[in-house]
Amino acid sequence: MILHDFPLAPNPRRVRMFLAEKRIMVPRVQVDIRDGAQFAEGFRRRNPWSTVPVLELDDGCCIAESVAICRYFEERHPEPSLFGRDAREKARIEMWNRRAELDGYVPLADAVRNRLARFADRAVAGLPSGFPQIPAVAVRGLERYRLFLERLDRRLAERPFLAGERFSIADITAFVTVEFANRIDERIPEGHRHLARWYAAVAARPSAAA
Ligand SMILES: N[C@@H](CCC(=O)N[C@@H](CS)C(=O)NCC(=O)O)C(=O)O
């Protein structure tokens, strides 16, 4: 088994944090997406979407999508559970992870990719060209990301972690998103003290360095 990884990218980081929480060691190979290695034929055969991470199993089966990879490891190594143990907890975690991804990460990624010069003509991940940056998309992405942070702060006033009392995949998705926002110098706003408390607690976990 091998994980196709890239140290500077947020989605592979989600998987690395997940593995670190479960203390699972997986050999990794680096795909330098800044150099276009995701578009090389060998990689495209593994993932035609040309994105990392990709988990390649020993029989050659390739699993892309961070959450799909994490689910694979959750099935194989159920403890500590990061997707929930019973129907109610699983559903709550799914709800918060979807919110973190769809209302947090995706708008923020739009803001980053439609703003940074490095992504000129590459505003969509996994495509070598043909998607020019649209400044208005960056603006709207940032507005939506800030709304997400406001909602997160309110949620974290009630509970230590996104889905409740226990750390979960939803916290990993949200944490990696908040750190990704540093790329465009977007920080946790002053006054979001519950969010700041949660952020400090997650940053102090050994998995945050993975
Ligand atoms: N939904 C995918 C997103 C994967 C993704 O966007 N990966 C980025 C790195 S964080 C990538 O590979 N980008 C390639 C590119 O910029 O062309 C997942 O969760 O794995």
Side-chain angles (χ1 to χ4, degrees):
M1 164 187 308
I2 196 151
L3 181 67
H4 297 260
D5 185 23
F6 186 62
L8 304 176
N11 283 294
R13 189 177 181 202
R14 290 207 272 171
V15 173
R16 290 196 308 274
M17 271 187 84
F18 190 90
L19 292 173
E21 287 286 336
K22 286 186 179 276
R23 296 193 163 77
I24 302 170
M25 304 292 287
V26 177
R28 297 182 219 151
V29 61
Q30 304 303 328
V31 180
D32 191 339
I33 60 172
R34 292 197 166 177
D35 253 10
Q38 70 274 39
F39 306 120
E41 202 189 319
F43 187 76
R44 285 211 339 266
R45 252 187 284 115
R46 293 175 165 95
N47 178 17
W49 258 241
S50 287
T51 55
V52 282
V54 172
L55 179 68
E56 183 170 357
L57 302 182
D58 291 340
D59 65 0
C61 168
C62 287
I63 304 168
E65 292 297 323
S66 319
V67 179
I69 295 170
C70 292
R71 280 195 186 282
Y72 175 82
F73 285 113
E74 179 90 354
E75 288 289 322
R76 303 291 305 268
H77 304 264
E79 293 296 331
S81 155
L82 294 169
F83 277 96
R85 293 203 177 98
D86 55 26
R88 180 192 162 104
E89 194 186 27
K90 284 180 181 170
R92 303 280 295 174
I93 290 173
E94 181 79 15
M95 174 176 95
W96 282 102
N97 195 42
R98 285 181 69 82
R99 286 175 168 172
E101 180 151 3
L102 298 175
D103 294 337
Y105 175 80
V106 170
L108 194 261
D110 274 343
V112 172
R113 294 196 73 110
N114 284 278
R115 190 199 280 192
L116 294 185
R118 179 182 333 125
F119 297 117
D121 208 37
R122 290 215 329 108
V124 176
L127 293 167
S129 62
F131 279 84
Q133 292 174 320
I134 302 174
V137 173
V139 171
R140 175 52 51 88
L142 196 52
E143 286 167 357
R144 291 190 59 206
Y145 173 67
R146 287 175 178 163
L147 172 64
F148 168 69
L149 293 189
E150 271 174 44
R151 288 172 159 174
L152 226 51
D153 188 57
R154 281 200 292 276
R155 168 61 177 166
L156 292 165
E158 303 163 350
R159 292 283 186 272
F161 296 107
L162 264 67
E165 303 306 315
R166 291 200 313 115
F167 181 83
S168 76
I169 177 105
D171 297 288
I172 294 178
T173 302
F175 176 76
V176 166
T177 300
V178 169
E179 295 243 304
F180 187 35
N182 291 333
R183 302 282 175 89
I184 52 169
D185 297 321
E186 185 67 19
R187 315 281 175 210
I188 294 176
E190 293 277 321
H192 282 28
R193 65 188 173 88
H194 307 291
L195 181 58
R197 181 264 307 151
W198 164 87
Y199 175 78
V202 180
R205 299 173 82 88
S207 64

